[in-house]
Amino acid sequence: MTNATPPAGLSRELIALRAARELEPGWVVNLGIGLPTLVAGFVEPSDNILFQAENGILGYSGISESDFDSDLINAGGQPVDLVPGASFFDTADSFAMIRGGHIDAAVLGGLQVSEQGDLANWYVPARGGGSVGGAMDLAVGARKLIIAMAHVTREGEPRIVEACDYPLTAERCVDVIITDLAVIDVTESGLMLRERAPGITAAAVEEWTGAALLIPDDVPEMSL
Amino acid sequence: MQAEVFDTPDAAVSDIPDGATILVGGFVSAGTPSNLILALKQTGQTGLTAVANNIGLGDLLDELCEDRQLAKVIATFAIRASGTRSSRFEAQYRAGEAELELVPQGTLIERLRAGGAGLGGVLTKTGLGTTMAEGKQTLELDGERWLLERPLRGDVALLKAWRGDRHGNLQYRLAGLNFNPVMATAADLVIAEVEQIVEPGEIPPESVGTPAIYVDRLVQCEPIPVRWDG
């Protein structure tokens, strides 16, 4: 690394907005805890995207501003509002949806993603213990796995690496990585830079990526 | 068929022995039997193994760590990702005083389902290629690899439902189902706290979330609101 800190890229909100653009009308989508929960705020109602929460809701619209009902929360414990036609079910049904291939996409946070699309997002070695929740099932079962995360750690270390040194969530599961600096697809031939954040050069993305990056001749800036 | 109705949560849990394995329904605040958890704190059993989705995220299960009642926790969320706040359980786990078995959520529910449904195990792809597969058997069937996960049962299950009738039928509200219906099948003694006890027939048959056959004890309590503070 030649620079001590990476260039300023997208805010958390803009990462969530860009992740929302990956979702197609009519999809059923599960959002992980943290930054991914913001994605629900950036979809158009007319797109009829249904959000699934692994604690047993299909069809919530976002975080509720009304009174807290302890029986109406998402998987992050946040109060949610329902859309017309929502349903409740138990955890066995919920994970039948998830492992059974019924969820079109999941947006999860990440600690590390490897160039083969391995994901590590449940265990920080320096902390130990860990919390896995539904992440391993979602990584295995969602048809499209979108990872929304900061491009580098607070210490400036790349999170996109040749091989994860954090314990894995699942092997070869990630389809696309959305960070403050770039949109990167995991392809058969390797990590492919698809878009750059406004003001960020392809060379800068490459510099802060810890794995080989395929860079097409023309890499467009994200339109946000 | 008649469930035994108890006047207080303490009375409903007082004969649970030390060393019991206890399934605890709920997901953070939803469908969580907080009255029964606090009753266990009062009655003071020790050496317990708790099986629950979460501990130490604002739930009252962590209260059982104050008097070191939990020897082991089997859960999906137990240690916060950031180190800014720590639960009593986390402190005891780090001190080597309490054991943690972390299980993926979809695997935890299917292990319980197998335990309650008379099945010998579950084959899943969840956890393959990760530390969760260490020490476990993998099988190859028709060219696909699977991880074998073994059934899980409790001596006791503590559940929370909205209404229960005197037969023991339970009706849940909103997202209060989560782990409760499956845990109801997977323990020798099933105790449910409900907001209302009603007469048989008041819960429409199609609205019964847990049929009475699984439920041994009922106690009516005001729900205790808790909130995720993870």
Side-chain angles (χ1 to χ4, degrees), chain A residues 33 54-55 68-71 73 75-76 79 88 90-92 95 99 122 127-133 136-137 168-169, chain B residues 27 29-31 76-83 90 94 102-103 105-106 110 126 130-131 173-175 178-179 227-228:
Chain A
I33 292 169
E54 58 263 39
N55 57 308
F68 180 67
D69 184 322
S70 58
D71 283 332
I73 56 165
F88 298 118
D90 72 21
T91 309
F95 282 86
R99 276 186 319 259
W122 68 278
R127 295 248 320 130
S131 276
V132 67
M136 288 192 177
D137 303 281
L168 293 188
T169 305
Chain B
F27 195 108
S29 64
T76 86
F77 288 93
I79 307 294
R80 288 185 174 90
S82 80
E90 181 177 338
R94 292 193 188 286
L102 206 64
V103 182
Q105 210 167 98
E110 285 301 318
T126 303
T130 77
T131 53
R173 72 183 283 275
L174 306 176
N178 54 67
F179 282 82
R227 255 190 117 140
W228 171 293

Side-chain angles (χ1 to χ4, degrees), chain A residues 11 15 25 36 44 71 79 98 108 146 163 166 173-174 177 187 189 224:
Chain A
S11 64
I15 295 173
E44 294 298 327
D71 283 332
I98 289 168
L108 301 181
I146 300 161
Y166 286 17
C173 56
V174 178
I177 310 162
T187 74
S189 33
L224 297 164

Side-chain angles (χ1 to χ4, degrees), chain A residues 138-196:
Chain A
L138 285 160
V140 165
R143 287 167 175 264
K144 179 171 184 173
L145 183 60
I146 300 161
I147 300 304
M149 66 179 189
H151 205 90
V152 301
T153 66
R154 279 195 197 114
E155 293 74 34
E157 296 297 320
R159 292 181 184 275
I160 302 170
V161 292
E162 284 179 15
C164 299
D165 47 23
Y166 286 17
L168 293 188
T169 305
E171 297 174 321
R172 296 174 180 271
C173 56
V174 178
D175 295 293
V176 53
I177 310 162
I178 297 175
T179 74
D180 46 332
L181 303 186
V183 176
I184 295 171
D185 289 313
V186 181
T187 74
E188 298 269 310
S189 33
L191 297 173
M192 179 82 73
L193 181 59
R194 197 204 311 168
E195 293 175 18
R196 310 170 277 117

